Amino acid sequence: MYYARFLFGYKFWTNQYTSAVGLGVFHSGVELYGTEFSYGGHPFEFSGIFEITPKDSDELGDHYKYKESIALGYTSFTKEEVDQAISHLGRDFKGSNYHLMNKNCNHFATEVSQLFSGKEIPTWVNRLAYMGTCVPFLEKCLPKEWLTPVALEETVTSHQSEKRSANGQVTPNPRPSTSTSIFSRKESQQELLRS
């Protein structure tokens, strides 16, 4: 058995405001065989799982600070089995599936931890997202761009188009939505070529 089960908690800058009420915004990852695996969003239909050096908050960005590691137990999976399972999880944890409340890095860390050690991560790590799902009003208070990377991309594209129109520039056709099938994207591309 290989003891490589660690949850890495990173606190986000907002915690200076939310910790007073027992809540926090945390990013988490799980280390296996010297690699920390985590999940993040992007507007594309491929895996959002990524690898970083364990406990290296600099790789995550300026807003993150390393908080703590929590030993979660042992795994009997080999490194090759871990790599294969992580790759398989990427089918479900696509970047475009990311949602701040319903499918975030902490949901990923819980699933990885359960798979490899049979244990869940501590509930406090994802408490704020859980509360948001219990009180739908809270989610509706947040800008949609905060919730999913697809919504963020749509908003940015829309603002760029409006800006070009205001400047008298021709607005190119937007790139097909990532939610369309491969066939409809090909048809759209062919139609663009004909025009």
PDB file of all heavy atoms in Angstrom, residues 60-89:
ATOM      1  N   LEU A  60      -1.104  28.176  -8.715  1.00  0.00           N
ATOM      2  CA  LEU A  60      -2.540  28.443  -8.840  1.00  0.00           C
ATOM      3  C   LEU A  60      -2.832  29.913  -9.125  1.00  0.00           C
ATOM      4  O   LEU A  60      -3.853  30.238  -9.702  1.00  0.00           O
ATOM      5  CB  LEU A  60      -3.269  28.023  -7.558  1.00  0.00           C
ATOM      6  CG  LEU A  60      -3.288  26.533  -7.272  1.00  0.00           C
ATOM      7  CD1 LEU A  60      -3.846  26.272  -5.875  1.00  0.00           C
ATOM      8  CD2 LEU A  60      -4.089  25.789  -8.325  1.00  0.00           C
ATOM      9  N   GLY A  61      -1.969  30.795  -8.664  1.00  0.00           N
ATOM     10  CA  GLY A  61      -2.178  32.216  -8.903  1.00  0.00           C
ATOM     11  C   GLY A  61      -2.034  33.043  -7.646  1.00  0.00           C
ATOM     12  O   GLY A  61      -1.920  32.523  -6.533  1.00  0.00           O
ATOM     13  N   ASP A  62      -2.072  34.333  -7.829  1.00  0.00           N
ATOM     14  CA  ASP A  62      -1.822  35.278  -6.734  1.00  0.00           C
ATOM     15  C   ASP A  62      -2.869  35.258  -5.630  1.00  0.00           C
ATOM     16  O   ASP A  62      -2.587  35.634  -4.499  1.00  0.00           O
ATOM     17  CB  ASP A  62      -1.736  36.712  -7.282  1.00  0.00           C
ATOM     18  CG  ASP A  62      -0.539  36.905  -8.197  1.00  0.00           C
ATOM     19  OD1 ASP A  62       0.425  36.119  -8.079  1.00  0.00           O
ATOM     20  OD2 ASP A  62      -0.571  37.838  -9.017  1.00  0.00           O
ATOM     21  N   HIS A  63      -4.085  34.857  -5.933  1.00  0.00           N
ATOM     22  CA  HIS A  63      -5.160  34.935  -4.949  1.00  0.00           C
ATOM     23  C   HIS A  63      -5.202  33.747  -3.994  1.00  0.00           C
ATOM     24  O   HIS A  63      -6.032  33.703  -3.096  1.00  0.00           O
ATOM     25  CB  HIS A  63      -6.513  35.059  -5.649  1.00  0.00           C
ATOM     26  CG  HIS A  63      -6.631  36.301  -6.467  1.00  0.00           C
ATOM     27  ND1 HIS A  63      -6.661  37.561  -5.915  1.00  0.00           N
ATOM     28  CD2 HIS A  63      -6.704  36.478  -7.799  1.00  0.00           C
ATOM     29  CE1 HIS A  63      -6.765  38.453  -6.882  1.00  0.00           C
ATOM     30  NE2 HIS A  63      -6.789  37.825  -8.036  1.00  0.00           N
ATOM     31  N   TYR A  64      -4.334  32.777  -4.194  1.00  0.00           N
ATOM     32  CA  TYR A  64      -4.372  31.566  -3.388  1.00  0.00           C
ATOM     33  C   TYR A  64      -3.221  31.526  -2.390  1.00  0.00           C
ATOM     34  O   TYR A  64      -2.103  31.891  -2.715  1.00  0.00           O
ATOM     35  CB  TYR A  64      -4.284  30.325  -4.286  1.00  0.00           C
ATOM     36  CG  TYR A  64      -5.464  30.187  -5.199  1.00  0.00           C
ATOM     37  CD1 TYR A  64      -5.470  30.785  -6.455  1.00  0.00           C
ATOM     38  CD2 TYR A  64      -6.582  29.464  -4.821  1.00  0.00           C
ATOM     39  CE1 TYR A  64      -6.555  30.661  -7.304  1.00  0.00           C
ATOM     40  CE2 TYR A  64      -7.672  29.330  -5.654  1.00  0.00           C
ATOM     41  CZ  TYR A  64      -7.656  29.935  -6.894  1.00  0.00           C
ATOM     42  OH  TYR A  64      -8.725  29.815  -7.728  1.00  0.00           O
ATOM     43  N   LYS A  65      -3.525  31.043  -1.199  1.00  0.00           N
ATOM     44  CA  LYS A  65      -2.513  30.833  -0.162  1.00  0.00           C
ATOM     45  C   LYS A  65      -2.691  29.419   0.376  1.00  0.00           C
ATOM     46  O   LYS A  65      -3.814  28.993   0.669  1.00  0.00           O
ATOM     47  CB  LYS A  65      -2.695  31.831   1.003  1.00  0.00           C
ATOM     48  CG  LYS A  65      -2.583  33.281   0.585  1.00  0.00           C
ATOM     49  CD  LYS A  65      -1.172  33.656   0.244  1.00  0.00           C
ATOM     50  CE  LYS A  65      -1.089  35.108  -0.147  1.00  0.00           C
ATOM     51  NZ  LYS A  65      -0.333  35.348  -1.341  1.00  0.00           N
ATOM     52  N   TYR A  66      -1.582  28.707   0.504  1.00  0.00           N
ATOM     53  CA  TYR A  66      -1.645  27.353   1.045  1.00  0.00           C
ATOM     54  C   TYR A  66      -2.161  27.402   2.468  1.00  0.00           C
ATOM     55  O   TYR A  66      -1.736  28.226   3.275  1.00  0.00           O
ATOM     56  CB  TYR A  66      -0.257  26.702   0.986  1.00  0.00           C
ATOM     57  CG  TYR A  66      -0.202  25.379   1.683  1.00  0.00           C
ATOM     58  CD1 TYR A  66      -0.781  24.262   1.103  1.00  0.00           C
ATOM     59  CD2 TYR A  66       0.390  25.254   2.929  1.00  0.00           C
ATOM     60  CE1 TYR A  66      -0.762  23.043   1.743  1.00  0.00           C
ATOM     61  CE2 TYR A  66       0.417  24.040   3.580  1.00  0.00           C
ATOM     62  CZ  TYR A  66      -0.166  22.934   2.983  1.00  0.00           C
ATOM     63  OH  TYR A  66      -0.149  21.735   3.632  1.00  0.00           O
ATOM     64  N   LYS A  67      -3.114  26.544   2.814  1.00  0.00           N
ATOM     65  CA  LYS A  67      -3.694  26.502   4.155  1.00  0.00           C
ATOM     66  C   LYS A  67      -3.200  25.297   4.951  1.00  0.00           C
ATOM     67  O   LYS A  67      -2.607  25.447   5.992  1.00  0.00           O
ATOM     68  CB  LYS A  67      -5.217  26.504   4.090  1.00  0.00           C
ATOM     69  CG  LYS A  67      -5.902  26.443   5.447  1.00  0.00           C
ATOM     70  CD  LYS A  67      -7.412  26.500   5.300  1.00  0.00           C
ATOM     71  CE  LYS A  67      -8.210  26.365   6.559  1.00  0.00           C
ATOM     72  NZ  LYS A  67      -7.616  26.424   7.828  1.00  0.00           N
ATOM     73  N   GLU A  68      -3.467  24.092   4.456  1.00  0.00           N
ATOM     74  CA  GLU A  68      -3.071  22.904   5.215  1.00  0.00           C
ATOM     75  C   GLU A  68      -3.182  21.645   4.376  1.00  0.00           C
ATOM     76  O   GLU A  68      -3.829  21.631   3.337  1.00  0.00           O
ATOM     77  CB  GLU A  68      -3.942  22.749   6.463  1.00  0.00           C
ATOM     78  CG  GLU A  68      -5.399  22.433   6.198  1.00  0.00           C
ATOM     79  CD  GLU A  68      -6.215  22.323   7.472  1.00  0.00           C
ATOM     80  OE1 GLU A  68      -5.928  21.427   8.285  1.00  0.00           O
ATOM     81  OE2 GLU A  68      -7.128  23.144   7.635  1.00  0.00           O
ATOM     82  N   SER A  69      -2.552  20.582   4.895  1.00  0.00           N
ATOM     83  CA  SER A  69      -2.667  19.246   4.308  1.00  0.00           C
ATOM     84  C   SER A  69      -3.346  18.356   5.325  1.00  0.00           C
ATOM     85  O   SER A  69      -3.088  18.462   6.515  1.00  0.00           O
ATOM     86  CB  SER A  69      -1.284  18.659   4.011  1.00  0.00           C
ATOM     87  OG  SER A  69      -0.603  19.447   3.081  1.00  0.00           O
ATOM     88  N   ILE A  70      -4.196  17.479   4.845  1.00  0.00           N
ATOM     89  CA  ILE A  70      -4.896  16.547   5.721  1.00  0.00           C
ATOM     90  C   ILE A  70      -4.659  15.146   5.177  1.00  0.00           C
ATOM     91  O   ILE A  70      -5.000  14.858   4.031  1.00  0.00           O
ATOM     92  CB  ILE A  70      -6.406  16.853   5.761  1.00  0.00           C
ATOM     93  CG1 ILE A  70      -6.634  18.272   6.280  1.00  0.00           C
ATOM     94  CG2 ILE A  70      -7.146  15.823   6.612  1.00  0.00           C
ATOM     95  CD1 ILE A  70      -8.056  18.765   6.125  1.00  0.00           C
ATOM     96  N   ALA A  71      -4.070  14.290   5.979  1.00  0.00           N
ATOM     97  CA  ALA A  71      -3.828  12.907   5.559  1.00  0.00           C
ATOM     98  C   ALA A  71      -5.162  12.180   5.505  1.00  0.00           C
ATOM     99  O   ALA A  71      -5.932  12.201   6.459  1.00  0.00           O
ATOM    100  CB  ALA A  71      -2.881  12.226   6.537  1.00  0.00           C
ATOM    101  N   LEU A  72      -5.434  11.543   4.382  1.00  0.00           N
ATOM    102  CA  LEU A  72      -6.715  10.868   4.199  1.00  0.00           C
ATOM    103  C   LEU A  72      -6.594   9.349   4.221  1.00  0.00           C
ATOM    104  O   LEU A  72      -7.605   8.666   4.230  1.00  0.00           O
ATOM    105  CB  LEU A  72      -7.357  11.311   2.881  1.00  0.00           C
ATOM    106  CG  LEU A  72      -7.739  12.786   2.817  1.00  0.00           C
ATOM    107  CD1 LEU A  72      -8.157  13.166   1.406  1.00  0.00           C
ATOM    108  CD2 LEU A  72      -8.856  13.100   3.797  1.00  0.00           C
ATOM    109  N   GLY A  73      -5.396   8.813   4.204  1.00  0.00           N
ATOM    110  CA  GLY A  73      -5.251   7.370   4.276  1.00  0.00           C
ATOM    111  C   GLY A  73      -4.335   6.807   3.212  1.00  0.00           C
ATOM    112  O   GLY A  73      -3.505   7.507   2.641  1.00  0.00           O
ATOM    113  N   TYR A  74      -4.501   5.527   2.960  1.00  0.00           N
ATOM    114  CA  TYR A  74      -3.658   4.782   2.039  1.00  0.00           C
ATOM    115  C   TYR A  74      -4.419   4.435   0.772  1.00  0.00           C
ATOM    116  O   TYR A  74      -5.642   4.392   0.770  1.00  0.00           O
ATOM    117  CB  TYR A  74      -3.202   3.466   2.683  1.00  0.00           C
ATOM    118  CG  TYR A  74      -2.292   3.661   3.865  1.00  0.00           C
ATOM    119  CD1 TYR A  74      -2.802   3.778   5.149  1.00  0.00           C
ATOM    120  CD2 TYR A  74      -0.911   3.706   3.686  1.00  0.00           C
ATOM    121  CE1 TYR A  74      -1.955   3.943   6.229  1.00  0.00           C
ATOM    122  CE2 TYR A  74      -0.057   3.874   4.767  1.00  0.00           C
ATOM    123  CZ  TYR A  74      -0.594   3.990   6.035  1.00  0.00           C
ATOM    124  OH  TYR A  74       0.235   4.151   7.106  1.00  0.00           O
ATOM    125  N   THR A  75      -3.686   4.151  -0.278  1.00  0.00           N
ATOM    126  CA  THR A  75      -4.295   3.615  -1.497  1.00  0.00           C
ATOM    127  C   THR A  75      -3.542   2.363  -1.908  1.00  0.00           C
ATOM    128  O   THR A  75      -2.329   2.273  -1.739  1.00  0.00           O
ATOM    129  CB  THR A  75      -4.309   4.643  -2.647  1.00  0.00           C
ATOM    130  OG1 THR A  75      -5.054   4.094  -3.731  1.00  0.00           O
ATOM    131  CG2 THR A  75      -2.920   5.013  -3.116  1.00  0.00           C
ATOM    132  N   SER A  76      -4.277   1.415  -2.440  1.00  0.00           N
ATOM    133  CA  SER A  76      -3.640   0.198  -2.961  1.00  0.00           C
ATOM    134  C   SER A  76      -3.467   0.279  -4.475  1.00  0.00           C
ATOM    135  O   SER A  76      -2.942  -0.637  -5.091  1.00  0.00           O
ATOM    136  CB  SER A  76      -4.472  -1.034  -2.590  1.00  0.00           C
ATOM    137  OG  SER A  76      -5.778  -0.908  -3.114  1.00  0.00           O
ATOM    138  N   PHE A  77      -3.899   1.394  -5.072  1.00  0.00           N
ATOM    139  CA  PHE A  77      -3.748   1.597  -6.508  1.00  0.00           C
ATOM    140  C   PHE A  77      -2.278   1.876  -6.839  1.00  0.00           C
ATOM    141  O   PHE A  77      -1.603   2.594  -6.111  1.00  0.00           O
ATOM    142  CB  PHE A  77      -4.577   2.803  -6.973  1.00  0.00           C
ATOM    143  CG  PHE A  77      -6.050   2.536  -7.052  1.00  0.00           C
ATOM    144  CD1 PHE A  77      -6.823   2.434  -5.906  1.00  0.00           C
ATOM    145  CD2 PHE A  77      -6.674   2.419  -8.284  1.00  0.00           C
ATOM    146  CE1 PHE A  77      -8.187   2.210  -5.977  1.00  0.00           C
ATOM    147  CE2 PHE A  77      -8.042   2.197  -8.368  1.00  0.00           C
ATOM    148  CZ  PHE A  77      -8.800   2.087  -7.208  1.00  0.00           C
ATOM    149  N   THR A  78      -1.816   1.341  -7.945  1.00  0.00           N
ATOM    150  CA  THR A  78      -0.466   1.652  -8.417  1.00  0.00           C
ATOM    151  C   THR A  78      -0.488   3.023  -9.098  1.00  0.00           C
ATOM    152  O   THR A  78      -1.568   3.553  -9.409  1.00  0.00           O
ATOM    153  CB  THR A  78       0.025   0.610  -9.440  1.00  0.00           C
ATOM    154  OG1 THR A  78      -0.784   0.701 -10.619  1.00  0.00           O
ATOM    155  CG2 THR A  78      -0.018  -0.806  -8.870  1.00  0.00           C
ATOM    156  N   LYS A  79       0.679   3.572  -9.369  1.00  0.00           N
ATOM    157  CA  LYS A  79       0.748   4.863 -10.058  1.00  0.00           C
ATOM    158  C   LYS A  79       0.073   4.785 -11.423  1.00  0.00           C
ATOM    159  O   LYS A  79      -0.652   5.694 -11.828  1.00  0.00           O
ATOM    160  CB  LYS A  79       2.197   5.325 -10.207  1.00  0.00           C
ATOM    161  CG  LYS A  79       2.299   6.700 -10.878  1.00  0.00           C
ATOM    162  CD  LYS A  79       3.711   7.189 -10.981  1.00  0.00           C
ATOM    163  CE  LYS A  79       3.860   8.554 -11.596  1.00  0.00           C
ATOM    164  NZ  LYS A  79       2.785   9.086 -12.388  1.00  0.00           N
ATOM    165  N   GLU A  80       0.295   3.698 -12.130  1.00  0.00           N
ATOM    166  CA  GLU A  80      -0.318   3.526 -13.456  1.00  0.00           C
ATOM    167  C   GLU A  80      -1.841   3.472 -13.343  1.00  0.00           C
ATOM    168  O   GLU A  80      -2.553   4.045 -14.172  1.00  0.00           O
ATOM    169  CB  GLU A  80       0.219   2.259 -14.136  1.00  0.00           C
ATOM    170  CG  GLU A  80       1.683   2.350 -14.530  1.00  0.00           C
ATOM    171  CD  GLU A  80       2.653   2.227 -13.339  1.00  0.00           C
ATOM    172  OE1 GLU A  80       2.303   1.606 -12.307  1.00  0.00           O
ATOM    173  OE2 GLU A  80       3.761   2.792 -13.430  1.00  0.00           O
ATOM    174  N   GLU A  81      -2.350   2.793 -12.325  1.00  0.00           N
ATOM    175  CA  GLU A  81      -3.803   2.714 -12.120  1.00  0.00           C
ATOM    176  C   GLU A  81      -4.378   4.079 -11.744  1.00  0.00           C
ATOM    177  O   GLU A  81      -5.473   4.444 -12.182  1.00  0.00           O
ATOM    178  CB  GLU A  81      -4.129   1.681 -11.040  1.00  0.00           C
ATOM    179  CG  GLU A  81      -3.871   0.254 -11.473  1.00  0.00           C
ATOM    180  CD  GLU A  81      -3.954  -0.746 -10.323  1.00  0.00           C
ATOM    181  OE1 GLU A  81      -3.667  -0.372  -9.156  1.00  0.00           O
ATOM    182  OE2 GLU A  81      -4.312  -1.911 -10.599  1.00  0.00           O
ATOM    183  N   VAL A  82      -3.627   4.830 -10.948  1.00  0.00           N
ATOM    184  CA  VAL A  82      -4.054   6.182 -10.588  1.00  0.00           C
ATOM    185  C   VAL A  82      -4.153   7.046 -11.840  1.00  0.00           C
ATOM    186  O   VAL A  82      -5.161   7.712 -12.077  1.00  0.00           O
ATOM    187  CB  VAL A  82      -3.088   6.820  -9.560  1.00  0.00           C
ATOM    188  CG1 VAL A  82      -3.320   8.318  -9.436  1.00  0.00           C
ATOM    189  CG2 VAL A  82      -3.239   6.151  -8.203  1.00  0.00           C
ATOM    190  N   ASP A  83      -3.106   7.021 -12.668  1.00  0.00           N
ATOM    191  CA  ASP A  83      -3.106   7.819 -13.896  1.00  0.00           C
ATOM    192  C   ASP A  83      -4.273   7.446 -14.804  1.00  0.00           C
ATOM    193  O   ASP A  83      -4.933   8.310 -15.379  1.00  0.00           O
ATOM    194  CB  ASP A  83      -1.780   7.662 -14.642  1.00  0.00           C
ATOM    195  CG  ASP A  83      -0.615   8.315 -13.912  1.00  0.00           C
ATOM    196  OD1 ASP A  83      -0.856   9.176 -13.041  1.00  0.00           O
ATOM    197  OD2 ASP A  83       0.544   7.952 -14.204  1.00  0.00           O
ATOM    198  N   GLN A  84      -4.534   6.154 -14.919  1.00  0.00           N
ATOM    199  CA  GLN A  84      -5.634   5.690 -15.764  1.00  0.00           C
ATOM    200  C   GLN A  84      -6.980   6.144 -15.201  1.00  0.00           C
ATOM    201  O   GLN A  84      -7.852   6.608 -15.942  1.00  0.00           O
ATOM    202  CB  GLN A  84      -5.589   4.164 -15.882  1.00  0.00           C
ATOM    203  CG  GLN A  84      -6.599   3.594 -16.842  1.00  0.00           C
ATOM    204  CD  GLN A  84      -6.452   2.084 -16.982  1.00  0.00           C
ATOM    205  OE1 GLN A  84      -5.903   1.404 -16.107  1.00  0.00           O
ATOM    206  NE2 GLN A  84      -6.948   1.549 -18.082  1.00  0.00           N
ATOM    207  N   ALA A  85      -7.163   6.027 -13.898  1.00  0.00           N
ATOM    208  CA  ALA A  85      -8.424   6.435 -13.274  1.00  0.00           C
ATOM    209  C   ALA A  85      -8.637   7.944 -13.374  1.00  0.00           C
ATOM    210  O   ALA A  85      -9.757   8.406 -13.648  1.00  0.00           O
ATOM    211  CB  ALA A  85      -8.449   5.992 -11.806  1.00  0.00           C
ATOM    212  N   ILE A  86      -7.574   8.726 -13.183  1.00  0.00           N
ATOM    213  CA  ILE A  86      -7.679  10.188 -13.305  1.00  0.00           C
ATOM    214  C   ILE A  86      -8.075  10.557 -14.734  1.00  0.00           C
ATOM    215  O   ILE A  86      -8.934  11.415 -14.966  1.00  0.00           O
ATOM    216  CB  ILE A  86      -6.358  10.878 -12.898  1.00  0.00           C
ATOM    217  CG1 ILE A  86      -6.085  10.700 -11.398  1.00  0.00           C
ATOM    218  CG2 ILE A  86      -6.366  12.349 -13.294  1.00  0.00           C
ATOM    219  CD1 ILE A  86      -7.021  11.435 -10.463  1.00  0.00           C
ATOM    220  N   SER A  87      -7.472   9.886 -15.698  1.00  0.00           N
ATOM    221  CA  SER A  87      -7.820  10.136 -17.094  1.00  0.00           C
ATOM    222  C   SER A  87      -9.292   9.807 -17.348  1.00  0.00           C
ATOM    223  O   SER A  87     -10.003  10.556 -18.024  1.00  0.00           O
ATOM    224  CB  SER A  87      -6.923   9.292 -18.008  1.00  0.00           C
ATOM    225  OG  SER A  87      -7.268   9.483 -19.347  1.00  0.00           O
ATOM    226  N   HIS A  88      -9.767   8.728 -16.789  1.00  0.00           N
ATOM    227  CA  HIS A  88     -11.168   8.339 -16.936  1.00  0.00           C
ATOM    228  C   HIS A  88     -12.094   9.368 -16.275  1.00  0.00           C
ATOM    229  O   HIS A  88     -13.147   9.707 -16.830  1.00  0.00           O
ATOM    230  CB  HIS A  88     -11.387   6.945 -16.340  1.00  0.00           C
ATOM    231  CG  HIS A  88     -12.787   6.453 -16.479  1.00  0.00           C
ATOM    232  ND1 HIS A  88     -13.310   6.028 -17.682  1.00  0.00           N
ATOM    233  CD2 HIS A  88     -13.777   6.350 -15.578  1.00  0.00           C
ATOM    234  CE1 HIS A  88     -14.568   5.677 -17.506  1.00  0.00           C
ATOM    235  NE2 HIS A  88     -14.880   5.857 -16.244  1.00  0.00           N
ATOM    236  N   LEU A  89     -11.703   9.873 -15.111  1.00  0.00           N
ATOM    237  CA  LEU A  89     -12.515  10.901 -14.429  1.00  0.00           C
ATOM    238  C   LEU A  89     -12.637  12.171 -15.271  1.00  0.00           C
ATOM    239  O   LEU A  89     -13.614  12.908 -15.155  1.00  0.00           O
ATOM    240  CB  LEU A  89     -11.899  11.247 -13.066  1.00  0.00           C
ATOM    241  CG  LEU A  89     -12.124  10.250 -11.946  1.00  0.00           C
ATOM    242  CD1 LEU A  89     -11.274  10.620 -10.728  1.00  0.00           C
ATOM    243  CD2 LEU A  89     -13.591  10.181 -11.567  1.00  0.00           C
TER     244      LEU A  89
END
